[in-house]
Amino acid sequence: MALILNIETATKNCSVSLAKNGQLLACKELNDGGYSHGENLHVFIENLLNETSVLISDIVAVAVSKGPGSYTGLRIGVSAAKGLCFILDVPLISVDTLRSLSASVEVQKNEIIVPLLDARRMEVYSAIFSGSNKRLRETQAEVIDENSFKEYLQKGKVYFLGDGAEKCKEIVQHENAIFLDGYFPSAKQMAQISYDKYKIGDIEDVAYFEPFYLKDFLITKSKK
């Protein structure tokens, strides 16, 4: 029996789930428009264990969303996951944030899914997956313009989702473009992905693992 704790903090959604052999048992999450991970993450983990009557010692691995996403959010999630792995002496599993976001929708195998995360201004973090969740293009940071994703839109339906999709609506105008509202990375979708990685021993070095920021963290000086 593989009980895995999944942690998702890459965006404004603070999300934690517990899964058994890839099947979701329970999930606690909050997406209130702000970054409340520091206040809620450990409370959510404790509440989740209490509600499912699972002992923390029963957990065989901890999975964390590795990014891309919010620098601060990723740091909080990874730090918490590492701490638990050290204490429990269990492996750390990393899950691609955009892959789990893509897995939140079901489309035809010949259709395309483009998960998008807001990267400020007109830039987004994006990846491209087939309807069977096969990666068609690696994750990258890009500025959206009228030619974005054109080669895929010409082939058939393309589904855009995530908080970066809002930026594309007015710019990426094509009859095959379908924009889905209300989707964000969640620990729910991490359940099967983390279990699949656990089964094949695809784990991280707890001491040296770092989130996938994609871009350097920049501190801007105040104009005051």
Side-chain angles (χ1 to χ4, degrees), residues 173-209:
Q173 296 188 350
H174 193 283
E175 60 183 3
N176 286 331
I178 302 171
F179 294 92
L180 305 176
D181 297 326
Y183 286 87
F184 42 82
S186 170
K188 295 176 183 177
Q189 277 70 47
M190 293 175 64
Q192 186 62 54
I193 299 172
S194 61
Y195 179 58
D196 289 341
K197 298 188 78 170
Y198 174 77
K199 287 189 295 182
I200 62 174
D202 186 356
I203 62 176
E204 303 292 345
D205 186 312
V206 177
Y208 295 102
F209 174 73

Side-chain angles (χ1 to χ4, degrees), residues 9-110:
T9 57
T11 65
K12 293 179 181 179
N13 186 38
C14 182
S15 181
V16 181
S17 74
L18 188 65
K20 176 182 177 182
N21 298 336
Q23 297 297 311
L24 184 69
L25 295 179
C27 179
K28 299 283 288 186
E29 59 186 3
L30 176 66
N31 188 357
D32 61 358
Y35 288 97
S36 57
H37 311 331
E39 296 82 8
N40 293 317
L41 181 57
H42 290 284
V43 175
F44 284 0
I45 293 172
E46 183 177 358
N47 290 345
L48 196 65
L49 293 171
N50 290 335
E51 290 176 12
T52 56
S53 298
V54 170
L55 298 176
I56 195 167
S57 57
D58 292 333
I59 293 173
V60 300
V62 178
V64 66
S65 180
K66 71 175 183 179
S70 158
Y71 180 91
T72 302
L74 290 170
R75 294 300 299 178
I76 292 173
V78 169
S79 296
K82 282 186 171 186
L84 288 168
C85 288
F86 274 121
I87 293 170
L88 301 174
D89 191 23
V90 297
L92 174 68
I93 299 169
S94 69
V95 175
D96 185 303
T97 305
L98 291 175
R99 177 174 288 281
S100 61
L101 176 56
S102 174
S104 62
V105 295
E106 293 185 9
V107 302
Q108 298 298 315
K109 290 184 178 181
N110 62 332

